[in-house]
Amino acid sequence: MEELAAPSGTQMDLSGKVALVTGAAQGIGRSFSEALLRCGAKVALVDLNRSTGEACKKALDGEFDATHSAFIACDVGSEDQLKCAFKKTLDLFGSLDIVCNNAGVNNENNWEQTINVNLTSVIRGTYMALEYMSKENGGKGGVIVNMASLAVSFSQPPHSGLTDNTQETTDTQSNTEKLNTKSITEKII
């Protein structure tokens, strides 16, 4: 997999960095988590599906240091559960450097849940990341990655094995003045 790069185009050293990834148990979230682990980061694998999340953690433990990842069951649509996932990440790993808002659903029968997970939780996760990583609040700065995919619209097997050749996402960088003043970079993919 291609090395992750900092927004400026310089290579980003991820050794010892701590990431929280939502929707981490399968698909793009799992691939992103694997890439972070491969680069030496520690990852909080946040996902609603407990059995899939635990299976993902077990598989990753076979490939990477088991102390570098933790599965946290969480419904990102619940503000309290998402806050708890952020706190557990800090309790387990001591810091937070990267937040990847990746969880997504497509439920035509419950459009409110779809909006809550695909939009509201991304906004909420971004604000929580700002709260925890902002230098103004004692953080070290960090990176926020917001991802969206049409993959939730199609049936696919768990962990589809997406590679860096996947053309499903468009990488768009959005550095707002507010984020720059807090030493936070936001990537929207």
Side-chain angles (χ1 to χ4, degrees):
M1 180 168 272
E2 185 178 316
E3 293 289 324
L4 298 176
S8 64
T10 61
Q11 187 148 345
M12 184 176 188
D13 181 16
L14 297 176
S15 298
K17 300 291 185 188
V18 176
L20 180 152
V21 180
T22 66
Q26 58 188 351
I28 295 171
R30 179 167 172 168
S31 294
F32 192 78
S33 298
E34 288 175 356
L36 290 167
L37 288 164
R38 194 171 291 110
C39 291
K42 296 177 180 178
V43 181
L45 307 161
V46 177
D47 206 284
L48 175 62
N49 188 323
R50 183 175 298 276
S51 61
T52 304
E54 290 171 349
C56 172
K57 165 73 171 134
K58 184 177 180 179
L60 293 174
D61 288 352
E63 189 174 347
F64 304 101
D65 184 337
T67 65
H68 285 200
S69 66
F71 171 66
I72 301 172
C74 172
D75 175 358
V76 297
S78 164
E79 182 175 2
D80 290 339
Q81 286 188 38
L82 189 57
K83 281 181 183 177
C84 186
F86 272 81
K87 186 174 178 342
K88 283 182 184 177
T89 301
L90 286 170
D91 290 346
L92 289 168
F93 298 122
S95 64
L96 186 60
D97 305 290
I98 302 163
V99 171
C100 176
N101 293 302
N102 171 69
V105 298
N106 185 18
N107 184 343
E108 293 177 8
N109 297 320
N110 188 346
W111 62 267
E112 290 170 320
Q113 177 199 32
T114 301
I115 296 294
N116 192 33
V117 172
N118 296 353
L119 177 63
T120 306
S121 74
V122 172
I123 295 167
R124 186 177 288 131
T126 298
Y127 277 106
M128 287 181 190
L130 287 170
E131 179 182 333
Y132 285 101
M133 296 189 303
S134 171
K135 289 183 178 181
E136 291 175 359
N137 295 333
K140 302 177 291 185
V143 176
I144 301 169
V145 180
N146 292 327
M147 290 201 269
S149 170
L150 293 176
V152 297
S153 300
F154 306 103
S155 177
Q156 66 181 25
H159 188 241
S160 60
L162 299 175
T163 67
D164 52 334
N165 295 328
T166 302
Q167 297 296 314
E168 291 182 17
T169 60
T170 304
D171 187 83
T172 308
Q173 185 173 341
S174 171
N175 293 320
T176 63
E177 190 172 308
K178 180 178 180 181
L179 293 175
N180 284 335
T181 63
K182 297 179 184 298
S183 299
I184 305 289
T185 302
E186 181 177 35
K187 294 265 303 176
I188 301 172
I189 298 178

